[in-house]
Amino acid sequence: VQLQASGGGSVQAGESLRLSCTMSGRTFRGYAIGWFRQAPGNEREFVAAISRTGGSTYYTDSVKGRFTMSINNAKNTVYLQMNSLKPQDTAVYYCAADRSIITSSLTDYAQYDWQGQGTQVTVSS
């Protein structure tokens, strides 16, 4: 299984980006998917996740109301729509997937079996 995040770029504060996460070899059905980010000098941190059933989404407080995570099963793609971007959103963004992770572990990157390459998001003021 290979995960690949894409869609990053350089934008001004207040603008939007949509990140995509694709998984080769299988569908996202039955997988919990998480988005994480890591800024230089910082730990990798949780951004958003969707449960294995797809019925619940979770966000870190700093992105609530600005970021939206969704799945397009027909395209086998997970999206992270990021609006009203701020300079503090600057980071490399990663997606991760797991079939058996429990809800309480969704915010822990190390608990995901599959972790992909990241995409750089740079927000300037």
Side-chain angles (χ1 to χ4, degrees):
V1 173
Q2 287 188 322
L3 291 172
Q4 180 67 55
S6 62
S10 296
V11 298
Q12 297 287 319
E15 294 183 342
S16 299
L17 281 173
R18 188 177 74 166
L19 305 185
S20 299
C21 176
T22 56
M23 181 162 64
S24 63
R26 57 192 69 187
T27 71
F28 280 116
R29 292 185 190 277
Y31 283 82
I33 311 298
W35 282 102
F36 296 81
R37 64 187 180 187
Q38 188 167 17
N42 289 357
E43 298 282 325
R44 193 162 300 188
E45 65 173 358
F46 170 76
V47 177
I50 193 163
S51 63
R52 286 183 290 127
T53 63
S56 299
T57 51
Y58 307 87
Y59 300 93
T60 192
D61 286 346
S62 63
V63 308
K64 284 180 181 176
R66 300 189 298 123
F67 290 13
T68 303
M69 186 173 177
S70 61
I71 293 180
N72 184 324
N73 286 308
K75 295 185 176 182
N76 201 37
T77 302
V78 175
Y79 299 106
L80 183 68
Q81 178 66 44
M82 307 187 297
N83 298 329
S84 302
L85 282 161
K86 303 176 181 181
Q88 51 264 46
D89 295 318
T90 295
V92 177
Y93 283 70
Y94 301 86
C95 57
D98 195 282
R99 285 190 67 91
S100 59
I101 194 169
I102 59 176
T103 300
S104 60
S105 295
L106 286 173
T107 60
D108 185 350
Y109 187 79
Q111 297 298 317
Y112 287 77
D113 280 345
W114 309 109
Q115 302 161 356
Q117 299 291 321
T119 186
Q120 175 71 48
V121 172
T122 302
V123 185
S124 55
S125 57

